[in-house]
Amino acid sequence: MALHRVARFADVSESRGLEVRIADTKIVLLRVGDQLRAYQGECPHAGAPLAEGALCHGRLICPWHKAAYRIEDGALCEPPALDSLKRYPLEVRDDEIWVDDQPLVDAHTPPADDERTFVIVGAGAAGTACAAALREKGFGGQVLLIDREVDAGYDRTVLSKFVIAGEMPPEEVPPLRDDAFYSEQRIERINGEVASLDASSKTLQLTDGRSLNYDAALLATGGKPNPLTLPGADLPQVFVLRSKDQAREILQAAKPGQRAVIIGDSFIALESASALREYGLEVTVLARHAIPFAAQFGETVGKAIRALHEANGVVFHTEGEASYIEGAENVEAVCLDNGQRLPADLVLAGIGVTPATDAFTDLPKEKDRSLKVDGAMRVIDGVWAVGDIATFPLNGQPQRIEHWRLAQQQARIAAANMLGADEHYLDVPYFWTWHFGKNYDYLGHAEAWDEVEFKGDPFHPPFIGLFGKNGVVAAAVACDEERAMALLAERMKQPLSVDEAWQLIRDLG
């Protein structure tokens, strides 16, 4: 043990963490009463400085993407992180804090003492989170992870934000887990696609003829981008964006100075508009709505985001719908039903996704082809579903929400329930979206509100806005207010009055 003096006890506030360093190692000190803890200083998900996070209800909440950790022992409580925090031994001597430069040894993989086989269909955010959670929660049986892509699960959120902006090569997209994790945790990756599921015999059939038996199955197949069905949509410069391979194809086709037309005004569509504009293309968005994201963020923030795009040269076109794509061997233009013609060298469609549930013919589906689950994420006995394919009860209403973090939250709940627990989703949906260097955070799921109030100006961040319904916070949206949103991510799990929320924000300074 090599202890290093890093701070005085009085330096550590009970309201926030203190970052210290031992050589190049960043460590965050946390204080709860007269107890101190020392953890790794950067969030294991994306490296956020945890000292800038919020402390609330015995949890440390990451400022960037709202992963949450138990202050007592650093255990992971909420994704998108998949790991608990490394903890460092410390001593207090005469008001001085001494910390070891080596973390405590992590818990080992559960022993292979369980004869059951759990199959996870889909190795994206949700599937990988479920596999990790099963081992974390002590499952020692066989875990089979079926992945239709050759590469192990990776961070899809960066594709529309950084990869097609030319800022991150496709081969550098971070994996959700490295190869060592799968081998150490005895998680068997199977490259393949499910053709059918027989719930009565608990059998999965793969398209290559293989058959897999299971004791419990998690379905996490995600969404398939809706393709354009217009004449000319089969031209090689017409794209959707969901995978690393598709991002690579877009980069191979795109050249600075070319003209790109984005069809749709979804989050993927406008993130892609920002990215391609940053890459040097002339970008036109054929939008369904004059104000983007108004349904989620309200009109003021929607107008501010459109203004940000326009200030960076993106052109919005809101009259007419795409009728056909002109061109013989290459895209030349998108032609509208009102006779207008938008010149284009490249077309990207961002018009939503459809749940990838075609293989599950025997399971009951909703009109949108999603699978209806109960509060425990269960479809039927022995089968759970999470993420983009799941319609689940939220505040008493059936909802299907296409959020990365929510899919991981649901996967951790499903993992617990596959092991016999009875956990339910009682959290606050959260997502983030990136436009021209600005990150917008959103908490909640408000379909209606009767008041909205801002601190700061959405047109000139930082700002935070609260959407109230009957005096209670229904949702919050912000840019550059990370610590406040981290605090609200925890406090909004119980009804929080608008007045109390503003007091919490003011108290943060």
Side-chain angles (χ1 to χ4, degrees):
M1 179 181 285
L3 292 175
H4 301 260
R5 184 167 56 84
V6 294
R8 294 179 303 114
F9 188 93
D11 295 333
V12 187
S13 165
E14 287 193 65
S15 63
R16 66 185 304 165
L18 174 69
E19 182 177 286
V20 297
R21 293 195 184 205
I22 301 176
D24 293 332
T25 301
K26 296 178 182 177
I27 293 172
V28 63
L29 301 177
L30 304 178
R31 177 178 171 183
V32 183
D34 60 355
Q35 295 291 311
L36 287 177
R37 294 289 185 271
Y39 297 112
Q40 66 186 83
E42 294 179 324
C43 180
H45 168 239
L50 290 173
E52 296 177 13
L55 301 176
C56 183
H57 293 164
R59 292 182 171 187
L60 168 62
I61 301 99
C62 170
W64 288 1
H65 304 118
K66 315 305 176 270
Y69 307 91
R70 197 161 56 216
I71 293 174
E72 180 63 28
D73 56 7
L76 176 66
C77 301
E78 298 289 353
L82 299 178
D83 293 301
S84 297
L85 296 178
K86 293 177 183 177
R87 181 176 170 186
Y88 291 80
L90 66 74
E91 294 180 7
V92 179
R93 307 172 184 168
D94 299 325
D95 192 50
E96 291 184 336
I97 303 168
W98 294 73
V99 176
D100 192 351
D101 59 7
Q102 296 299 315
L104 295 168
V105 177
D106 290 338
H108 296 293
T109 309
D113 57 358
D114 195 317
E115 295 182 354
R116 291 176 295 174
T117 296
F118 288 1
V119 174
I120 301 169
V121 185
T128 306
C130 180
L134 286 171
R135 291 299 190 227
E136 171 198 323
K137 296 175 187 297
F139 178 59
Q142 188 176 32
V143 177
L144 304 180
L145 186 61
I146 302 173
D147 192 350
R148 61 174 173 253
E149 293 191 51
V150 175
D151 291 339
Y154 53 87
D155 186 349
R156 294 182 195 276
T157 68
V158 301
L159 299 178
S160 57
K161 297 174 173 69
F162 308 119
V163 175
I164 64 170
E167 297 174 10
M168 178 186 291
E171 57 273 13
E172 292 182 13
V173 170
L176 298 173
R177 309 301 327 222
D178 58 24
D179 290 340
F181 169 81
Y182 296 102
S183 59
E184 290 169 2
Q185 298 292 325
R186 292 184 289 102
I187 295 167
E188 184 179 346
R189 292 185 59 245
I190 297 174
N191 183 219
E193 196 152 358
V194 171
S196 63
L197 179 149
D198 186 338
S200 60
S201 65
K202 293 191 171 182
T203 303
L204 283 166
Q205 199 75 27
L206 303 189
T207 54
D208 62 8
R210 283 180 288 178
S211 183
L212 303 172
N213 296 317
Y214 65 84
D215 294 284
L218 178 84
L219 308 180
T221 45
K224 298 182 295 186
N226 294 330
L228 293 174
T229 56
L230 311 172
D234 56 350
L235 287 167
Q237 300 82 25
V238 179
F239 301 98
V240 293
L241 178 58
R242 183 77 173 184
S243 71
K244 197 158 52 173
D245 285 344
Q246 290 165 339
R248 187 179 287 110
E249 290 169 0
I250 291 168
L251 279 176
Q252 289 171 349
K255 301 289 184 293
Q258 286 184 331
R259 300 160 300 184
V261 172
I262 311 286
I263 298 179
D265 50 14
S266 64
F267 286 100
I268 287 287
L270 287 197
E271 286 189 355
S272 297
S274 167
L276 290 176
R277 186 75 190 105
E278 297 266 38
Y279 194 52
L281 280 75
E282 300 296 324
V283 177
T284 297
V285 175
L286 182 57
R288 292 177 54 213
H289 308 94
I291 304 173
F293 313 149
Q296 297 88 359
F297 292 169
E299 290 196 357
T300 301
V301 178
K303 288 177 180 177
I305 292 177
R306 174 168 170 167
L308 176 64
H309 275 255
E310 290 176 329
N312 283 278
V314 175
V315 175
F316 281 76
H317 201 97
T318 57
E319 295 180 1
E321 294 186 7
S323 180
Y324 64 95
I325 298 173
E326 181 183 299
E329 297 181 358
N330 298 298
V331 167
E332 296 176 9
V334 176
C335 298
L336 309 186
D337 56 3
N338 60 10
Q340 290 183 289
R341 181 179 180 274
L342 305 178
D345 303 293
L346 177 153
V347 175
L348 192 152
I351 52 176
V353 301
T354 298
T357 57
D358 292 347
F360 312 127
T361 53
D362 293 339
L363 298 180
K365 295 188 179 72
E366 301 290 279
K367 288 182 179 179
D368 65 359
R369 304 195 59 73
S370 65
L371 302 174
K372 188 173 185 178
V373 301
D374 62 17
M377 312 313 299
R378 185 182 292 103
V379 185
I380 57 173
D381 284 346
V383 179
W384 287 258
V386 297
D388 291 3
I389 65 171
T391 292
F392 72 106
L394 179 67
N395 301 325
Q397 298 297 317
Q399 300 284 356
R400 186 174 74 85
I401 301 176
E402 299 164 6
H403 294 173
W404 172 270
R405 178 176 179 263
L406 180 134
Q408 293 177 312
Q409 288 174 318
Q410 293 177 338
R412 290 180 59 81
I413 290 167
N417 295 336
M418 292 163 79
L419 295 171
D422 186 29
E423 295 188 8
H424 291 66
Y425 186 85
L426 300 171
D427 213 320
V428 181
Y430 163 78
F431 71 93
W432 67 96
T433 185
W434 179 269
H435 305 266
F436 294 103
K438 293 294 182 184
N439 195 67
Y440 296 83
D441 284 337
Y442 181 85
L443 280 165
H445 187 73
E447 296 182 330
W449 51 84
D450 51 34
E451 62 174 313
V452 59
E453 185 179 348
F454 293 96
K455 171 196 167 194
D457 181 358
F459 287 85
H460 300 94
F463 78 89
I464 185 168
L466 300 181
F467 300 86
K469 186 73 182 294
N470 300 323
V472 174
V473 179
V477 62
C479 181
D480 296 337
E481 287 282 2
E482 293 164 340
R483 193 156 172 257
M485 290 293 274
L487 180 64
L488 291 177
E490 186 66 28
R491 291 299 298 267
M492 283 172 60
K493 290 180 180 179
Q494 290 82 38
L496 177 67
S497 75
V498 173
D499 290 343
E500 185 180 358
W502 282 124
Q503 186 59 53
L504 289 170
I505 293 165
R506 283 193 294 270
D507 289 345
L508 286 174

